[in-house]
Amino acid sequence: MVRGLYDVAGGGAALTRRLDEICNEVSKAIDNGARIIVLSDRHSDAIQAPIPSLLLTSAVHHHLVREKTRTLVGLVVEAGDVREVHHVALLIGYGAAAVNPYLAMESVEDLARRGTLLADTSPEDAVANLIKSLGKGVLKVMSKMGVSTVASYTGAQIFEAIGLAQDVVDKYFTGTTSRLGGIGLDIMAEEVRRRHVRAYPPGGVAAAHRTLEVGGEYQWRREGEYHLFDPETVFRLQHSTRSGRYDVFKQYTGRVNEQSKRLMTLRGLFSFKEGARPPVPIEEVEPVESIVRRFSTGAMSYGSISREAHETLAIAMNRLGGKSNTGEGGEDTDRLYDPERRSAVKQVASGRFGVTSEYLTNADDIQIKMAQGAKPGEGGQLPGNKVWPWVATTRHSTPGVGLISPPPHHDIYSIEDLAQLIHDLKNANPRARIHVKLVAEVGVGTVAAGVSKAHSDVVLISGHDGGTGAAPLTSLKHAGGPWELGLAETQQTLLLNGLRDRIVVQTDGQLKTGRDVVIAALLGAEEFGFSTAPLVVSGCVMMRVCHLDTCPVGIATQNPELRKRYTGQADFVVNFFEYIAEEVREYLAELGFRSLDEAIGHAEMLDTNEAVDHWKAAGLDLSPLLHVPELADGASRHQVVVQDHGLEKALDNQLISLATDALENREPVRAQVEVRNVNRTVGTMLGHEITKRFGGEGLPDDTVDITLVGSAGQSFGAFVPRGVTLRLEGDANDYLAKGLSGGRVILRPDRSASFVAEENVVTGNVTAYGATGGELFIRGKAGERFCVRNSGVTAVVEGVGDHACEYMTGGAAVILGPTGRNIAAGMSGGVTYVLDLDPSLVNPGMVELEEITAEESERLRGIVTKHRDETGSAVAETLLADWDHTAGRFSKIMPRDFKRVLAAKAAAERDGRDVDEAIMEAAHG
Amino acid sequence: MADPRGFLKAGRQGAKARPVAERVKDWNEVYPDPGIGKTLLPIITKQAGRCMDCGIPFCHSGCPLGNLIPEWNDLVWRDDWHEASERLHATNNFPEFTGRLCPAPCEAACVVDIADDPVTIKNVEVAIIDKAFDEGWVAPQPPERLTDRTVAVIGSGPAGLAVAQQLTRAGHTVAVYERADRVGGLLRYGIPEFKMEKRHVDRRLDQMRAEGTIFRTGVEVGESLTGEELKSRYDAVVLAVGATAARDLPMPGRELDGVHQAMEYLPQANRVALGESVPGQITAEGKHVIIIGGGDTGADCLGTAHRQGAASVTQLEIMPEPPDSRADATPWPTYPVMLRTSSAHEEGGERVYSVSTQEFLGDDEGRVRALRLVEVRMGEKGFEPVEGTERELPAELVLFAMGFVGPERSPLLEQLAVELDGRGNIVRDDAYETSVPGVFAAGDAGRGQSLIVWAIAEGRACAAAVDRWLTGADRLPAPVAPTDRPLVV
């Protein structure tokens, strides 16, 4: 047991001394045979204050690592300052084997005793709940970081420090990245002193009725933490854009910029080097109309926000020539073709909701969301009570059934996979720019370089402070880094590697003022995304109840009653962006730039020398952000050339010319071609041509019926629409029929193959991922993750690997052979039939097993018959030969939510009630 | 948080006042026995549950005190009244005053108000504090130790009382000087009993005395005790003398008998209501009464005149009639220009807008008998009379309720030689210190006429500044800076 206390009056020196002593005490204890060391901050008093537990833990941990005795002992941390998931994660990440948050435990006990918690929570329950939630929270953090076991997470130090001095890092947090320098032990001791003095006030008199501070971390409070959006900025922003008053808008930006300087953002610490270049008259600066084209609104899905709010943003951006973003929720057909209400940017995220050939074909930009600023490393969830019928339609899902966007894209496990998805999407719409959205963190520059090499047209560096009120609190506060850091790193890395000129760099993350935009431009961004601010303009008052469907201003809700309260208008949003652009012009003029293009990447125009007026800012060194690599002659600091996607080499060019009759006259086309595994993404560009001409309906089934012989490359048949049938005789790589959009894909082994099809894997992993419609018949087995996020395809296969049908929301999967484990994890819709199912392989979290009914037996017989006819399957032949007996060998995997909704629907139809209402009633419980 | 869907389930509901016919016959508060707090208990849980626990609680910002409104709404909803009282007192020394008298800028800023009617915040406040008193939770909070520092507070209105309570609790020895015979300032003699019964003031003063605050009434500082003496006797002096110089209307006939300032009239009525006798009392009994000024003081005169048995009461206002709901020029969450109907207005009387008084007309004995007015409209240089609209109204009692222009020019201010600004208010720095070291100013004396809630907020903030000046420590909360003003467009 080692006391983590120090003489608070002695300040940083005493703290340093005591840490050294503690390290010695621990070393001695180990010499004396101690194998568990408890670091405790109990028994602090008016003289002795607790050492911050993380500093204490990490100091001891690294001391022991240096002494090579670390593995001899376990560290147990007993600390009063531990209360949040993040605190526990940090302690474990810096070496703690066990954590005792005694004060938090005593606090919840007290709350339970006083009855402030739920009425029937006993003190024991409260403590158990606290421990359980801290534990689950740490698991969630670990999963975000891709770590499976606590043993691997302990001491893993996967954190970035912002604002910690290098000597402190070297001694106590050895190996941690801290790019900007910052505070030392003196300042930490001062922070401790300020807390300590509240517990032991001078003169022994504490203020009456003032027990604990209000905090205000997550909700604004006057005496609490600063927030850029406070009552005044929200009011001034709304009022200025609604009444068309630029003067009030300047009051708003003035206050935000001033707040920013109170150390709320890194950009708040910069100043412009005015006079470094001669100012230019403002009339010579590019006009508002050209600046607003660089603006976009953030990816917020229809579903998470209301139709009214979503369309307001789209209409405004279309008027301005900027771009709005669908978010991960698809887009209704009536908006897809409406030049006023469409969203120019179509997002493709892990859930692939509504990602069809039609959706992609109608995009200006296609954005691949690798991560989200508000909650990097996490997926999303639309709770069932927000999945109203109209939302479900757009997402190709079932009303009232919750939807999960998984954390990863199931088709991306490496940068090569990402390159493949970029290529797939480019094929799905060759005119669209492909974006990749990344979150700022250490190493994002390297990833961005990879993204540039992977032929992405745009890379988006998203700041950590994304605004959704639906994000978990640990993510809101502690995940990701500021865009200033990520953007600077990206710009520098791209320049150094000669990759900058071929990719557009976009940034977002609480951009609020013209000053923010200009700083982003100087750091290297050429396009700018805004989310929270335009929502505030539309009426958002930062309730932070986006997940509850109770948004009182009709934005983050689908409830028709609440949506009536919506007051936003596209004109207000137009005003906002024009005002921002006007401010940008003013700054450009002062700085001596005639256009944003001229300004991009001129980080040397930013200054950090201005004394930062805050007691904690003294040690910061922002100069790494402002470094501009030496540029070769003629090297550009922004994008000047377009990426070479290599589409001219695609097999589809041949397919398209073969399909001329179909494309021009809707006439049937039959052809046979050879395919090799260098032919990636076959059929997708052809599909795009059909969708472009004939819309989402496509052509009648089998209009273009092409047989391909050979070994296909990745993404065979991706996003193929109705009217196209691809018959592959041979085998396929990964991502077969990815995003299938109504077309038919039939795979059978080569006719001359001597092996038994059903005993062999004929296609790779992630088959039919995110498919929305059509048919897929595979004679033979598929790899892992078959039909993940299927929402409409009927797929037949003769065996699968692990994780089949994960997160499925619709369609049907028929598996006529052995399966791997974890079937139907997170499955909320559709149905899966498995022959001779081993029930222990099913993930029972959201589904149950059922016998098939006679009606279903007939349906299934039809599907199996088709499978036999299309593929010549021997398995199907055998089953059909004795169907009355073999039908009983099928098990049906049915999602519980889906079943409940179907029951509600059936009951409503029977009683003649409104089906939608009945469904939502069931969903709201 | 409170019920996340509470605002969807329940509408706004206030306390039900006694019938007009009954309440105008007495001076008691307009709510039934045993007072507004208890009257509210059956409905207040649901009303508190309408609070949305906003990410940005604009109410908490709209309140100069920074009242922790979402917190205590939640606590009331959860039936934890004791903790609610603690949280209420964390920012407000005198919720029983504000819960009755404050015009509730918090409610004007309530997010529910955007599309619905705001939460009855003021009612929740008064329900908490009345219950806290009933339960005996409002106990004296004497300091554990005394400092050896002394402070004189001049004026015992809400600002002075707040300064005194905060500094006493911080361990300083505080004496409050009041020129009137009883403590309370405007609270005592300006506010009619039907708006707040004086027992509420007395109850709070009992607590303050028990905490150690010393009160000296009937002392006109500047006369019996000079500014110099004050400075030499005390380590710090706080001027909380209010802005009691009333705006006058020097029209012909101003000198007539029966033309009075509201603050001549209301204190007398208050004394009588509390059982004193006032020889030569100005009374509305049997008279046609005209009140000039459409604000709260005017409404206080109105309710008082009705209770005295006036023949008729007319309230004149130079501004046009405000809209029934929030005017466009005062968007949410600012304090709105709109028609307000106080309990006094419910009791009768007529309100006449867009008129300006031209002359007071007297009878042969020098008593006012009528008032001549003219309709006005807004012109380029302010209000302009509309020709041909002059008319006379019978008036046997005319009361001025047109606001206050600043602190009275008293000998005390001259003796202390504190600097005044162009409006006659006492100049302070960021720390409430006047131009004279060790002399501070709080409340309307420095700010100009304002609301009770600003007075308490200033008192608390000034106390923090004085405490820091005396001890160098940062212990007390300071909700507002001297320059803070309500949010406006």
Side-chain angles (χ1 to χ4, degrees), chain A residues 8-40:
Chain A
V8 67
L15 178 56
T16 311
R17 218 166 33 239
R18 178 66 191 135
L19 281 169
D20 289 345
E21 280 171 26
I22 287 171
C23 289
N24 288 332
E25 284 172 31
V26 172
S27 295
K28 271 194 205 123
I30 293 173
D31 288 345
N32 293 335
R35 287 301 170 260
I36 292 175
I37 306 287
V38 180
L39 303 170
S40 173

Side-chain angles (χ1 to χ4, degrees), chain A residues 114 116 202-205 209-210 214 219-222 229 231 234-236 239 245 541-543 550 552 559 562 565, chain B residues 7 52-58 60-61 63-64 66 71 80 83 86-87 89-90 169 331 333 475 479 488-489:
Chain A
R114 283 196 276 159
T116 312
V205 179
H209 299 293
R210 309 278 296 186
V214 293
Q219 291 175 309
W220 178 86
R221 290 290 183 272
R222 284 242 299 254
F229 270 130
V234 168
F235 164 64
R236 301 241 181 261
H239 187 64
R245 285 183 57 181
V541 287
M542 308 291 285
M543 288 298 297
T550 58
N559 182 334
L562 291 169
R565 301 175 177 223
Chain B
F7 71 104
M52 303 192 297
D53 191 24
C54 299
I56 300 179
F58 286 76
H60 165 65
S61 145
C63 174
E71 275 91 329
D80 190 350
E83 189 61 22
E86 278 299 302
R87 295 314 270 165
H89 281 110
R169 288 173 172 181
R475 298 185 296 182
V488 290
V489 173

Side-chain angles (χ1 to χ4, degrees), chain A residues 109-347:
Chain A
E109 270 181 327
D110 180 54
L111 286 171
R113 256 186 221 113
R114 283 196 276 159
T116 312
L117 297 178
L118 293 176
D120 50 356
T121 309
S122 68
E124 295 74 25
D125 288 348
V127 172
N129 289 347
L130 172 74
I131 294 171
K132 186 173 175 186
S133 40
L134 289 175
K136 282 202 155 190
V138 171
L139 278 183
K140 175 103 184 166
V141 171
M142 285 166 49
S143 89
K144 280 189 272 190
M145 299 311 293
V147 177
S148 304
T149 66
V150 178
S152 336
Y153 194 67
T154 308
Q157 269 182 226
I158 27 182
F159 304 98
E160 177 179 3
I162 296 179
L164 218 46
Q166 196 56 48
D167 57 335
V168 171
V169 170
D170 290 344
K171 185 165 177 193
Y172 302 112
F173 298 94
T174 320
T176 303
T177 305
S178 175
R179 288 180 285 179
L180 303 176
I183 64 169
L185 253 47
D186 282 352
I187 304 274
M188 287 185 222
E190 172 60 17
E191 288 189 315
V192 172
R193 190 195 66 78
R194 289 184 183 204
R195 283 195 293 272
H196 189 257
V197 83
R198 287 188 55 80
Y200 301 96
V205 179
H209 299 293
R210 309 278 296 186
T211 44
L212 291 174
E213 290 182 59
V214 293
E217 282 279 324
Y218 303 105
Q219 291 175 309
W220 178 86
R221 290 290 183 272
R222 284 242 299 254
E223 294 176 27
E225 191 73 14
Y226 289 123
H227 292 261
L228 284 175
F229 270 130
D230 66 6
E232 183 168 346
T233 48
V234 168
F235 164 64
R236 301 241 181 261
L237 175 57
Q238 291 187 343
H239 187 64
S240 63
T241 51
R242 284 164 186 238
S243 59
R245 285 183 57 181
Y246 188 59
D247 60 326
V248 177
F249 186 78
K250 295 296 271 188
Q251 292 172 0
Y252 151 76
T253 53
R255 185 166 167 97
V256 172
N257 292 338
E258 174 211 312
Q259 300 264 55
S260 193
K261 281 189 188 169
R262 297 190 202 167
L263 283 198
M264 291 169 66
T265 62
L266 285 177
R267 56 193 175 276
L269 303 177
F270 293 132
S271 58
F272 294 115
K273 271 194 198 146
E274 279 165 28
R277 297 161 60 105
V280 297
I282 193 156
E283 303 75 42
E284 293 178 21
V285 177
E286 69 173 316
V288 163
E289 301 81 69
S290 84
I291 292 174
V292 293
R293 290 177 181 280
R294 296 173 178 270
F295 295 157
S296 54
T297 53
M300 294 171 281
S301 69
Y302 171 48
S304 71
I305 63 175
S306 65
R307 165 178 283 262
E308 292 78 6
H310 207 274
E311 290 189 2
T312 298
L313 297 181
I315 292 168
M317 296 323 277
N318 288 331
R319 275 189 213 162
L320 288 165
K323 292 185 170 74
S324 67
N325 191 314
T326 55
E328 167 162 41
E331 187 167 57
D332 271 343
T333 331
D334 69 319
R335 285 182 63 188
L336 212 47
Y337 296 101
D338 180 346
E340 203 191 2
R341 295 183 300 139
R342 69 190 284 268
S343 285
V345 184
K346 314 284 192 227
Q347 191 176 62

Side-chain angles (χ1 to χ4, degrees), chain A residues 702 725 727 744 746 748 751 775 777 865-873:
Chain A
D702 305 330
T725 299
R727 300 174 190 276
R744 305 179 69 230
I746 296 148
R748 57 181 295 164
R751 287 174 194 269
E775 290 180 335
F777 298 102
T865 308
K866 216 166 182 183
H867 180 61
R868 179 197 61 193
D869 297 347
E870 295 288 11
T871 66
S873 163

Side-chain angles (χ1 to χ4, degrees), chain A residues 714-738:
Chain A
Q714 293 187 323
S715 301
F716 181 88
F719 304 108
V720 165
R722 184 158 168 265
V724 178
T725 299
L726 298 178
R727 300 174 190 276
L728 177 59
E729 298 189 358
D731 48 35
N733 267 284
D734 294 344
Y735 319 135
L736 176 75
K738 170 196 291 192

Side-chain angles (χ1 to χ4, degrees), chain A residues 775-798:
Chain A
E775 290 180 335
L776 173 64
F777 298 102
I778 300 170
R779 181 177 172 189
K781 293 201 275 192
E784 323 275 7
R785 299 189 290 281
F786 179 79
C787 272
V788 173
R789 272 295 300 114
N790 174 22
S791 61
V793 163
T794 300
V796 186
V797 68
E798 299 179 349

Side-chain angles (χ1 to χ4, degrees), chain A residues 530-554:
Chain A
F530 301 73
S531 303
T532 311
L535 277 192
V536 169
V537 168
S538 302
C540 168
V541 287
M542 308 291 285
M543 288 298 297
R544 298 193 176 280
V545 292
C546 311
H547 52 306
L548 296 180
D549 201 24
T550 58
C551 178
V553 291

